Amino acid sequence: MSAASVERPHDERPLIAEANRLMERVPGYRVEIIGGQLLVTPPPDGPHARALTKLMRPFIAAGLDDGETEVLQGIGLWLPTDIEDYAVPDLSLVDADFDDHLVENNSYEPVCFRLVLEVTSSNWKNDLKTKVAAYAEAGVPVYVVVDRRHRRLHVLTDPAGNDYATHRFHSPGQQVTLPDSIGAKVTLDVTEILRAGQPRTDD
C-alpha cells in the first residue's frame, strides 16, 4: 500500500502549507523541509543547469531511463526525519513504478530511489552536511554531490543511520564508476562535469 493513503490536509501540516505559499510567492525557488526546517534555494544558474544536462547523458546512454528505471529532475523525496520533511534532489534515479509511491507535495517514498544527485549552489553546506544525514536516514543507496565550490565529486554509499559508511571524493582528471546497484555501468568524467558547472569565460 502506498503512503499516499495517509495524506492529511495541509492545514494539519503547517510547514508544508508555508512551503507551498513560499513556492507561489517566489516562483523558481526550491523549497524543502529537512529536520523540521524550511530550506529555500534560489533558482539555479546556467552552469548548474549545464552540469545537470552533462550528468544525465551517461545515465541515459546506459539505458537507465527506459525499462526498470527513470532519470528525473526535480521530484521530491519524502524523508523519515520528521513528519513534514521532504527534499528535492537535482537529479534522481528511480524505479519505473515510482508513481505508485507518491506520498504528497510531489514527493515519493524513499524505497523507489536508487540514487540522488546534487549540484552545489550558494547553499553548498546543505548538500554536504544536512542532506547527507537526510538521505542516509532515508536509506538512499547512492548519493552523488558535484561540489562546484571545492571542485570535487563526492560519491557516498552504504547508508548507516544518519551518515554513509563510505564517502569518496574525486578530483579533476579522474573517472568515477558508480556502484552496480544502480542497475547499469555508469562512469562519470570529473573534469567534464566540473567544467560544465563553471561559468564560461573568453580566452
Side-chain angles (χ1 to χ4, degrees):
M1 179 187 295
S2 170
S5 61
V6 299
E7 180 176 344
R8 290 180 284 176
H10 286 162
D11 58 4
E12 296 179 24
R13 303 270 197 153
L15 281 176
I16 285 180
E18 179 60 23
N20 291 339
R21 282 193 291 271
L22 278 169
M23 285 188 284
E24 290 175 5
R25 280 199 298 249
V26 286
Y29 280 64
R30 177 176 304 179
V31 182
E32 303 165 292
I33 305 171
I34 301 179
Q37 301 293 317
L38 280 167
L39 301 179
V40 182
T41 305
D45 57 22
H48 183 286
R50 186 189 307 124
L52 274 181
T53 299
K54 294 282 187 191
L55 283 158
M56 289 185 73
R57 290 174 182 162
F59 289 94
I60 293 169
L64 289 171
D65 197 42
D66 295 297
E68 295 183 2
T69 55
E70 292 188 43
V71 182
L72 303 172
Q73 293 187 32
I75 66 165
L77 166 60
W78 196 256
L79 297 168
T81 46
D82 210 327
I83 58 171
E84 296 181 87
D85 280 8
Y86 69 93
V88 184
D90 287 322
L91 192 69
S92 299
L93 175 65
V94 295
D95 294 335
D97 68 349
F98 77 96
D99 293 288
D100 297 335
H101 297 278
L102 179 64
V103 181
E104 61 180 288
N105 254 40
N106 190 34
S107 297
Y108 300 82
E109 295 173 305
V111 68
C112 63
F113 287 78
R114 297 190 184 192
L115 171 148
V116 295
L117 185 149
E118 300 282 7
V119 177
T120 61
S121 296
S122 57
N123 60 345
W124 54 272
K125 290 181 182 177
N126 287 335
D127 294 333
L128 294 174
K129 185 175 180 182
T130 307
K131 288 190 173 182
V132 169
Y135 293 150
E137 286 196 48
V140 176
V142 182
Y143 177 30
V144 177
V145 185
V146 178
D147 182 356
R148 296 194 292 166
R149 182 181 180 89
H150 303 103
R151 296 192 52 76
R152 298 191 295 204
L153 188 144
H154 301 252
V155 178
L156 296 87
T157 57
D158 308 311
N162 64 353
D163 203 354
Y164 283 87
T166 305
H167 181 167
R168 295 188 172 93
F169 60 86
H170 306 272
S171 302
Q174 293 183 298
Q175 302 277 324
V176 181
T177 300
L178 298 177
D180 293 339
S181 63
I182 66 172
K185 182 178 179 181
V186 172
T187 300
L188 304 178
D189 183 323
V190 179
T191 300
E192 179 185 38
I193 292 165
L194 289 173
R195 183 183 296 131
Q198 300 300 315
R200 289 181 176 164
T201 57
D202 295 329
D203 294 326

